[in-house]
Amino acid sequence: MSEIIDFENFLSLVTYLSDLTGLSLSVYGDKGNIIQPATIDDKFLSYIKTSPMGRDEYNDFLKRCIGKAIQRKRPSIFKGPAGQQHFFIPVTINDLTFVISGGVYFSSEEFKDFYIKEGPSYGLSPKQIDLWRDKIAIRDYTNIMETSTHIGSLINLFLKENYEGNLNKKRYRLTKTILSLLSNIKLDNQFEAVSDMLVDILLFLFNVDSVSVMVKDNDIFRPKKIAGRLRENLKSLSLTTTGIISEVIEKQRPLYSDNTMEILRLGLPDMILSIYIFPIIAEDKVTGLVCIFNPAISREDVDIISELCNVGGFIFRLSRLQNLYGKRLKDMDILNIVSTSLCEVKEPEILYETIVDKSVELTYAERGSLMLMDTETPYLTIKAAKGVNKLLLNEIKIKAGEGIAGRVFKEGIPLLVHDIETNERIPFKKKPSYKTGSFVSIPIKIGERTIGVLNISDKITGEVFSESDMALLRSFASYASIALERSMCYSLAGHLRELSITDSLTSLFNRRYFEERFFEELQRSERHGLSFSLAMVDIDDFKLFNDTEGHLAGDEVLKHIANIIKESLRVVDVVTRFGGEEFVIIMPQTDKQEAFMVAERVRESAKTQIPHFWKTFPKENITITVGVSTFPSDGKEMKELIRNADKALYRGKMAGKDRVFLYNIPEVNII
């Protein structure tokens, strides 16, 4: 309010009227606080106030009479200290009140009577009465009342015109700024844009303390944008539709509260003493709230902010119309995107999830599932689901012809149900966990062969699924079937590749995979300046074992050794069968000493964990010898590192077998 009134001109007007009337005029606030002292000095009153008794008496008198004049709402005259008649002229603009005051005597006899009787108590000398009589203002009652009335009318008129003029200027500036902000709002993210706009306007144009723009989520309003001094205290605040919130929704108009119990019920922090809540209305519903905390805003500000929120609601409605207009085009765009995204997915599990995610996105649904016929059993099983925990569905198996999905699978015909409760063809009732009784089931086909069923239910909006939804899903299912067929081919190719890089006896990677993995580790270590180690493992006296126990027993030893090595290694290590009785271990980011400890653990495990099942082989345990080389100290190329690891292995054999040797460091190779 105060920033809309031109105080400088207001006080200048009072000064002018003081000069014009010859009256000593002072301006006070509604609490008795001095705003502008009189420019024409009342010397006699000033002298009276210099005494302690006069000063205290005058101040008490002033506050008491200002309150009375404001209550009366008209010029009033009260007899005060020094026997003066003080006039008080209240002037009001909206909720802001000032009081213009001054003092006179109605007659010379009135002054003389006070001076003789009470003057000595104020320190006045009887000899100076004539001197003081020349300094006082004398006016009759009628003159003072008429002058006071004219002064009040003139100042009230000035304040009204000044206030309305400045208010119109403020509204013009606000309107211009708001229109400028509105012109930059993009409808593709309307709530974000409107939230930002509202917050900026309230903070910078209305100087609010703290503000939160909230969006409705079921029966809870959650913060979308928070700003101001108390931002951190309000970031977790959500409001339920109770109390004043329910009233705002019902009446669809802004409401204010400074009720302590109401504020506590809202869950507001202690520093919030009051709140103004403005509704954002779209489609005749309250979809959001603007909450101003500890507000210091005028009625005019409330009106402007309310209209501003209405503009926000209008933008939401406009955006919805735009969205409805572009929905079909968007559906086609999504289909194109879906077809591309499905073709990019090769892994079956990811593809299943993608099919379900894209189908619910396409139809604006909350729930979906993909069921495929098991290749080993005559059952449909759930491969992916959304809106339901997949773990709860793992044991669900449906035969062709059973249930809704089973019937769609067997018949190969899409099914659209608006309401399961009223559909005579469906002998089932809606489950309590589902929001609506509307759903769509689409068969997934490769050529003429049905391989599964896609099920979609519960539109986000609560609406039923339409024929256009089903047509869109049928087109999507065609893309999905192509992607599923492609994934099957890819899985088969992946299986064949796995066979090509896996040793059939030990199930370890073979030499071909070793060379690929070694090359990758070599490049990575060179690029990042890292070390890695290579260990060559050879089974001691394996030829003798084969000769005495036979090749089948030898194969068992190879499998035992392979399993022991895998279980003894770290997750990052890679073990492969190099050929015959030899194995190779790649140990990324591992120096010599670390590699020695890993290799020693493998050697000890092999010696102690293989069960004694042989009869003729002369040794008590199966043992291994390990040779280790490290990049880059023992070589920077594959052949060099393999050759040096093999040399360390050979030295271990010559030293008695059953031991670990590091290339070029003989002193740590003693067992």
Side-chain angles (χ1 to χ4, degrees):
M1 170 71 73
S2 58
E3 71 273 11
I4 302 178
I5 296 175
D6 188 344
F7 269 100
E8 184 177 351
N9 285 335
F10 163 55
L11 297 177
S12 295
L13 175 61
V14 174
T15 300
Y16 172 77
L17 292 174
S18 180
D19 293 338
L20 183 65
T21 60
L23 296 174
S24 178
L25 300 179
S26 299
V27 182
Y28 297 92
D30 57 359
K31 305 298 182 184
N33 52 302
I34 185 71
I35 293 177
Q36 177 171 273
T39 54
I40 298 177
D41 189 23
D42 186 329
K43 292 182 171 49
F44 184 68
L45 181 60
S46 296
Y47 179 83
I48 294 295
K49 288 192 293 182
T50 58
S51 69
M53 183 180 72
R55 182 181 63 251
D56 295 339
E57 187 180 12
Y58 178 77
N59 289 337
D60 291 341
F61 164 78
L62 190 68
K63 291 180 180 180
R64 184 172 63 254
C65 294
I66 284 175
K68 289 181 179 179
I70 291 174
Q71 286 182 341
R72 293 180 179 181
K73 299 181 181 179
R74 65 177 186 274
S76 301
I77 296 177
F78 303 99
K79 189 172 184 178
Q84 275 189 327
Q85 304 292 338
H86 290 265
F87 54 88
F88 295 88
I89 310 167
V91 291
T92 301
I93 180 67
N94 285 30
D95 297 327
L96 203 59
T97 299
F98 307 99
V99 175
I100 315 299
S101 179
V104 297
Y105 285 98
F106 286 159
S107 67
S108 178
E109 288 73 17
E110 189 176 40
F111 166 74
K112 182 179 178 181
D113 183 59
F114 160 77
Y115 196 95
I116 293 172
K117 291 181 179 180
E118 300 183 34
S121 62
Y122 290 96
L124 293 169
S125 171
K127 297 179 181 180
Q128 295 179 321
I129 186 170
D130 293 332
L131 177 65
W132 282 115
R133 185 185 285 114
D134 294 336
K135 299 180 183 295
I136 63 172
I138 299 176
R139 303 288 178 88
D140 62 48
Y141 174 83
T142 303
N143 176 268
I144 284 299
M145 287 302 298
E146 289 179 352
T147 302
S148 297
T149 301
H150 292 319
I151 289 174
S153 298
L154 188 59
I155 292 179
N156 273 317
L157 179 61
F158 167 81
L159 288 176
K160 180 181 178 182
E161 295 297 327
N162 181 261
Y163 173 80
E164 291 181 352
N166 289 335
L167 180 61
N168 287 332
K169 289 180 182 179
K170 179 183 177 182
R171 286 173 173 169
Y172 170 76
R173 290 195 302 270
L174 284 174
T175 302
K176 184 178 179 181
T177 304
I178 291 169
L179 289 175
S180 177
L181 292 170
L182 288 174
S183 66
N184 293 318
I185 289 181
K186 296 181 180 179
L187 294 180
D188 56 351
N189 193 12
Q190 75 278 16
F191 207 99
E192 290 285 351
V194 171
S195 298
D196 290 342
M197 177 198 71
L198 290 172
V199 166
D200 288 344
I201 289 174
L202 292 172
L203 284 179
F204 299 108
L205 299 183
F206 290 91
N207 297 315
V208 301
D209 180 81
S210 300
V211 60
S212 175
V213 180
M214 315 189 84
V215 61
K216 191 175 184 182
D217 179 12
N218 293 324
D219 289 332
I220 297 177
F221 287 91
R222 305 188 188 279
K224 191 73 174 178
K225 182 82 173 181
I226 305 170
R229 183 174 60 88
L230 303 176
R231 179 178 64 254
E232 290 300 316
N233 304 91
L234 298 166
K235 63 183 179 181
S236 60
L237 174 68
S238 294
L239 300 177
T240 57
T241 51
T242 58
I244 189 173
I245 306 299
S246 296
E247 193 175 352
V248 169
I249 294 173
E250 180 183 352
K251 296 181 178 179
Q252 294 191 357
R253 63 180 179 83
L255 292 175
Y256 169 84
S257 177
D258 57 3
N259 183 281
T260 303
M261 293 305 299
E262 181 73 59
I263 289 174
L264 288 175
R265 281 194 292 268
L266 291 176
L268 298 175
D270 294 341
M271 63 282 299
I272 302 300
L273 304 178
S274 59
I275 184 173
Y276 227 127
I277 305 172
F278 296 81
I280 299 175
I281 303 169
E283 305 295 334
D284 296 324
K285 297 178 181 178
V286 175
T287 59
L289 299 175
V290 173
C291 300
I292 301 176
F293 304 96
N294 298 333
I297 52 179
S298 65
R299 288 201 303 268
E300 289 77 14
D301 291 341
V302 170
D303 292 340
I304 295 173
I305 294 170
S306 183
E307 290 302 322
L308 196 58
C309 292
N310 290 338
V311 171
F314 172 76
I315 293 174
F316 298 152
R317 293 195 295 273
L318 183 63
S319 177
R320 181 179 178 277
L321 292 175
Q322 185 186 50
N323 290 339
L324 289 174
Y325 174 77
K327 184 179 182 302
R328 294 308 170 207
L329 291 177
K330 183 179 179 181
D331 289 343
M332 297 308 298
D333 289 340
I334 291 176
L335 268 180
N336 291 331
I337 294 171
V338 163
S339 63
T340 302
S341 62
L342 291 182
C343 290
E344 292 174 351
V345 180
K346 298 177 181 178
E347 293 77 5
E349 294 298 326
I350 299 177
L351 178 60
Y352 302 153
E353 297 288 345
T354 303
I355 288 173
V356 173
D357 288 344
K358 296 299 181 183
S359 62
V360 298
E361 178 185 340
L362 199 63
T363 53
Y364 305 98
E366 292 187 7
R367 298 171 182 260
S369 65
L370 174 64
M371 307 183 75
L372 295 180
M373 179 57 69
D374 198 323
T375 56
E376 298 178 358
T377 64
Y379 292 101
L380 282 166
T381 58
I382 295 177
K383 297 297 183 181
K386 185 168 186 177
V388 182
N389 191 328
K390 185 175 178 292
L391 296 176
L392 300 176
L393 308 175
N394 283 342
E395 300 303 319
I396 295 180
K397 298 184 179 186
I398 300 174
K399 282 187 176 181
E402 293 182 352
I404 297 173
R407 181 189 300 180
V408 171
F409 177 83
K410 183 177 180 180
E411 297 175 356
I413 301 173
L415 177 64
L416 168 64
V417 174
H418 294 303
D419 187 356
I420 194 173
E421 300 284 351
T422 59
N423 192 300
E424 297 178 356
R425 294 181 56 198
I426 308 298
F428 304 104
K429 298 297 181 183
K430 180 175 75 71
K431 294 181 179 180
S433 59
Y434 286 78
K435 292 182 179 180
T436 71
S438 181
F439 65 88
V440 183
S441 291
I442 305 291
I444 305 291
K445 296 183 176 183
I446 296 178
E448 295 299 319
R449 180 170 61 95
T450 302
I451 63 169
V453 179
L454 179 62
N455 305 294
I456 305 297
S457 61
D458 281 351
K459 273 211 170 219
I460 294 174
T461 59
E463 300 171 331
V464 300
F465 290 96
S466 63
E467 293 290 342
S468 61
D469 290 324
M470 186 169 72
L472 203 57
L473 280 176
R474 293 184 68 176
S475 298
F476 172 73
S478 299
Y479 289 113
S481 63
I482 296 171
L484 287 168
E485 185 176 27
R486 182 172 175 271
S487 177
M488 292 174 186
C489 295
Y490 178 78
S491 297
L492 179 60
H495 179 64
L496 293 175
R497 183 181 184 279
E498 184 178 348
L499 291 176
S500 72
I501 62 173
T502 305
D503 175 60
S504 59
L505 176 65
T506 62
S507 296
L508 296 178
F509 291 118
N510 59 21
R511 184 164 182 163
R512 174 183 173 185
Y513 179 80
F514 162 75
E515 291 176 354
E516 293 178 1
R517 187 67 182 82
F518 190 96
F519 181 71
E520 292 173 1
E521 189 58 39
L522 188 64
Q523 285 190 319
R524 190 174 73 90
S525 298
E526 284 180 341
R527 185 166 58 252
H528 298 289
L530 303 173
S531 296
F532 77 92
S533 294
L534 180 72
M536 298 284 292
V537 181
D538 186 84
I539 304 174
D540 297 330
D541 302 308
F542 188 67
K543 183 177 184 304
L544 177 60
F545 187 92
N546 273 340
D547 291 343
T548 57
E549 301 298 325
H551 287 284
L552 291 179
D555 288 346
E556 289 301 313
V557 170
L558 287 170
K559 287 190 281 187
H560 276 301
I561 292 292
N563 289 332
I564 288 170
I565 294 175
K566 282 194 296 184
E567 292 174 1
S568 301
L569 293 180
R570 304 165 302 180
V571 175
V572 296
D573 299 329
V574 178
V575 58
T576 65
R577 187 178 179 190
F578 201 64
E581 68 272 26
E582 284 189 323
F583 301 86
V584 182
I585 304 170
I586 301 173
M587 293 175 275
Q589 298 186 45
T590 307
D591 59 22
K592 282 184 180 295
Q593 297 304 321
E594 292 175 313
F596 179 83
M597 290 167 39
V598 174
E600 181 62 20
R601 183 169 63 247
V602 172
R603 183 198 66 78
E604 183 65 28
S605 298
K607 185 176 182 178
T608 58
Q609 293 181 16
I610 298 178
H612 194 291
F613 66 90
W614 53 90
K615 299 178 181 179
T616 308
F617 183 61
K619 296 181 68 173
E620 182 66 25
N621 301 101
I622 302 295
T623 62
I624 62 174
T625 299
V626 185
V628 178
S629 63
T630 301
F631 172 89
S633 59
D634 298 334
K636 296 184 178 181
E637 295 181 357
M638 181 188 298
K639 290 182 179 180
E640 187 179 8
L641 287 166
I642 293 174
R643 182 173 62 249
N644 290 338
D646 198 44
K647 286 180 180 179
L649 173 64
Y650 179 75
R651 291 177 57 222
K653 293 283 189 181
M654 293 299 99
K657 305 176 184 178
D658 187 22
R659 59 196 63 218
V660 177
F661 256 68
L662 303 178
Y663 180 73
N664 273 342
I665 308 183
E667 61 271 16
V668 299
N669 299 319
I670 300 173
I671 303 301

